[in-house]
């Protein structure tokens, strides 16, 4: 535990197999510097930016407002690359999961969850996770490294490709939101996540508003303030327990940043107000954290915080040792929270049949042998 957000574990190449560099993931400023080095005027960088992030093109040949010699020069030096799809699955409920292979062979998962007239993309921030929340499958994965900005924004670009939405008007799209709730702890890879989200939010490119982005953290207190100041995205906090004793066990990071500290950081999260509440995620574990007394204690903890509560039925995985609370229990718990004035929707599990639901993500190639898995659980 405790890998710092700057740790760069096994940094992968940002170049393609043939040595050309990937333009995806470069900030606007970096792209401008690249163009300046080629002797091009600053507006060329702007044109490129729009082709890459607004139109989603992957070939320089398609950039019709650039002169042919420049397109050739660019093609010799650069690529516009996404991670490759190792495996794609679609759930009976329309949820899609892509297992992505990265340049160094590591794998991560991205999930698209469509609704009637919108939809969220659940994006990963790390290969695996260094934290070991007891109920989370990702936490049992051994191999961990931070994703590069290109690998994070690449997930969003690949989803746009797969959904065929680049040319659609915004109101017709089914990928309208991003939730940083895939594999990994985003605030342990803050720099790269921030770089990717700044690209996503840029109005001349991918153009997703910060109001449509939610970052979920298990409670990396020292990074929360900065995240709010610099990115100002919606915050979700994985609470899951109302006493330090239980949270120490379920979310071991609590031993470092206990509840009082975490809730203080929430109280001072920049941009949190009654119009823009912090979401508290609470996984419902049968007989563990789901009593009426827990619900009442939760309400007391959240006093003075502009909060809403998201109740997540536990999604089982082999060897987890936990069960999902009954629907009746979840409803009773939710009613107490709601009576206290907090909205408390129950998150409908999506894509369970393809193991795409919260906490089920884990790359195939890195599953532990059953014996070790039991030891971890
Ligand atoms: N690392 C971050 C974001 C990824 S996890 C975090 O922990 O917040 C996204 C959400 O799924 C978290 O709230 C997490 O606690 C929850 N989760 C993990 N395992 C789960 C499971 N088996 N069933 C339901 N929710 C789970
Ligand atoms: Fe990591 Fe989040 Fe899973 Fe905990 S719940 S192990 S922080 S991905």
């Amino acid at each position: 535990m405790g890998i710092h957000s700057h740790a760069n574990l096994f940094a992968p190449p940002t170049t393609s197999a043939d040595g050309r560099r990937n333009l995806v993931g470069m900030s606007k400023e970096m792209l401008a510097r690249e163009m300046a080095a080629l002797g091009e005027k600053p507006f060329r960088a702007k044109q490129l930016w729009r082709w890459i992030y607004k139109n989603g093109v992957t070939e320089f040949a398609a950039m019709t407002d650039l002169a042919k010699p420049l397109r050739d020069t660019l093609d010799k030096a650069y690529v516009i690359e996404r991670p490759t799809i190792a495996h794609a699955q679609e759930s009976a409920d329309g949820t899609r999961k892509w297992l992505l292979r990265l340049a160094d062979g590591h794998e991560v998962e991205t999930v698209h969850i469509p609704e009637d007239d919108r939809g969220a993309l659940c994006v990963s921030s790390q290969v695996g996770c260094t934290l070991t929340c007891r109920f989370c499958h990702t936490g049992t994965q051994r191999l961990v490294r931070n994703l590069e900005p290109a690998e994070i924004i690449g997930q969003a670009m690949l989803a746009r490709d797969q959904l065929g939405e680049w040319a659609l008007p915004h109101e017709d799209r089914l990928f309208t939101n991003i939730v940083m709730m895939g594999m990994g702890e985003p605030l342990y890879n803050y720099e790269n996540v921030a770089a990717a989200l700044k690209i996503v939010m840029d109005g001349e490119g991918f153009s997703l508003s910060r109001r449509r982005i939610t970052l979920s953290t298990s409670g990396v207190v020292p990074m929360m303030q900065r995240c709010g100041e610099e990115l100002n995205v919606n915050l979700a906090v994985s609470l899951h327990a109302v006493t330090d004793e239980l949270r120490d066990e379920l979310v071991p990071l609590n031993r470092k940043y206990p509840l009082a500290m975490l809730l203080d950081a929430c109280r001072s999260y920049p941009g949190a107000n009654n119009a823009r509440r912090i979401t508290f995620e609470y996984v419902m574990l049968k007989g563990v954290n789901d009593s009426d007394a827990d619900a009442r204690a939760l309400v007391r903890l959240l006093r003075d915080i502009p909060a809403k509560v998201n109740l997540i039925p536990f999604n089982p995985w082999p060897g987890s040792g936990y069960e999902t609370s009954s629907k009746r229990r979840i409803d009773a718990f939710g009613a107490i929270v709601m009576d206290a004035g907090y909205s408390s929707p129950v998150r409908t599990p999506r894509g369970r049949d393809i193991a795409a639901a919260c906490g089920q993500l884990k790359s195939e190639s890195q599953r532990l042998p059953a014996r070790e898995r039991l030891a971890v659980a």
Side-chain angles (χ1 to χ4, degrees):
M1 211 197 356
I3 289 189
H4 194 257
S5 65
H6 297 283
N8 210 349
L9 309 158
F10 320 109
T14 49
T15 45
S16 73
D18 59 16
R20 290 181 294 168
R21 292 164 60 219
N22 195 2
L23 288 181
V24 173
M26 288 186 187
S27 66
K28 239 180 183 172
E29 296 71 32
M30 285 162 79
L31 195 61
R33 278 201 297 275
E34 295 288 326
M35 289 308 105
L38 290 176
E40 294 294 332
K41 298 236 166 59
F43 79 94
R44 293 289 175 212
K46 286 195 171 219
Q47 285 176 306
L48 259 176
W49 185 265
R50 278 197 297 269
W51 282 118
I52 298 172
Y53 294 114
K54 192 170 193 298
N55 303 327
V57 309
T58 53
E59 301 292 338
F60 296 102
M63 302 182 177
T64 44
D65 57 359
L66 301 187
K68 179 83 168 54
L70 176 58
R71 284 185 260 158
D72 292 342
T73 307
L74 292 173
D75 193 48
K76 286 198 186 81
Y78 305 108
V79 290
I80 304 166
E81 219 167 59
R82 293 92 162 94
T84 45
I85 299 176
H87 191 57
Q89 276 174 289
E90 183 162 355
S91 158
D93 70 15
T95 300
R96 293 172 73 175
K97 179 169 91 168
W98 296 286
L99 176 71
L100 306 181
R101 181 150 311 129
L102 309 174
D104 62 355
H106 278 101
E107 291 172 343
V108 290
E109 290 177 326
T110 306
V111 177
H112 178 249
I113 306 144
E115 284 170 47
D116 288 344
D117 54 357
R118 47 185 262 144
L121 190 73
C122 183
V123 170
S124 293
S125 56
Q126 299 183 302
V127 173
C129 186
T130 55
L131 299 171
T132 50
C133 302
R134 288 281 294 272
F135 48 84
C136 175
H137 205 187
T138 305
T140 65
Q141 189 168 314
R142 265 182 308 192
L143 289 171
V144 180
R145 80 157 164 81
N146 285 335
L147 295 187
E148 294 291 314
E151 295 167 332
I152 299 169
I153 174 99
Q155 296 173 59
M157 299 172 83
L158 181 136
R160 271 271 184 274
D161 296 345
Q162 293 297 308
L163 297 167
E165 288 192 337
W166 287 105
L168 288 186
H170 282 240
E171 60 271 21
D172 293 343
R173 293 177 174 182
L174 286 183
F175 162 17
T176 55
N177 291 63
I178 285 184
V179 292
M180 295 301 303
M181 294 185 185
M183 297 164 69
E185 168 48 58
L187 295 188
Y188 267 179
N189 185 18
Y190 178 76
E191 303 289 346
N192 293 349
V193 167
L197 290 183
K198 282 177 189 164
I199 296 174
V200 164
M201 294 189 284
D202 185 278
E204 292 175 326
F206 208 87
S207 280
L208 213 61
S209 141
R210 61 187 176 79
R211 289 167 206 287
R212 294 179 176 274
I213 300 174
T214 301
L215 184 145
S216 173
T217 180
S218 57
V220 185
V221 167
M223 297 307 295
M224 285 167 59
Q225 180 83 14
R226 205 174 144 201
C227 172
E229 275 167 9
E230 288 183 2
L231 303 176
N232 203 2
V233 294
N234 304 314
L235 185 70
V237 172
S238 296
L239 195 66
H240 308 317
V242 293
T243 63
D244 280 321
E245 193 189 359
L246 181 60
R247 197 162 188 272
D248 280 352
E249 187 190 321
L250 296 179
V251 184
L253 186 65
N254 193 68
R255 295 175 202 156
K256 212 164 166 182
Y257 309 119
L259 280 173
M261 235 188 207
L262 176 59
L263 295 170
D264 268 347
C266 291
R267 260 178 222 107
S268 53
Y269 185 72
N273 54 51
N274 283 332
R276 207 151 167 256
R277 293 162 188 272
I278 295 177
T279 302
F280 287 86
E281 295 162 284
Y282 197 95
V283 62
M284 298 298 290
L285 302 167
K286 187 181 206 159
V288 175
N289 64 354
D290 63 352
S291 70
D292 286 354
D294 288 317
R296 286 192 290 268
L298 175 61
V299 167
R300 282 195 298 275
L301 276 185
L302 298 183
R303 191 170 294 153
D304 312 330
I305 303 180
K308 57 187 171 193
V309 174
N310 205 331
L311 301 176
I312 317 177
F314 169 65
N315 291 308
W317 43 275
S320 71
Y322 292 110
E323 285 177 72
T324 313
S325 309
S326 69
K327 184 174 180 309
R328 263 178 81 181
R329 185 85 300 273
I330 296 176
D331 289 345
F333 191 103
I336 292 172
V337 176
M338 191 136 86
D339 282 348
Y342 296 100
S343 114
S344 58
V346 179
R347 191 182 292 173
T348 317
R350 298 287 304 267
R352 266 190 185 173
D353 54 339
I354 56 169
C358 303
Q360 293 185 315
L361 302 187
K362 179 164 175 176
S363 8
E364 288 293 335
S365 67
Q366 286 155 24
R367 284 196 203 284
L368 299 180
R371 215 179 317 117
E372 287 180 49
R373 195 156 62 222
L374 285 176
V376 175

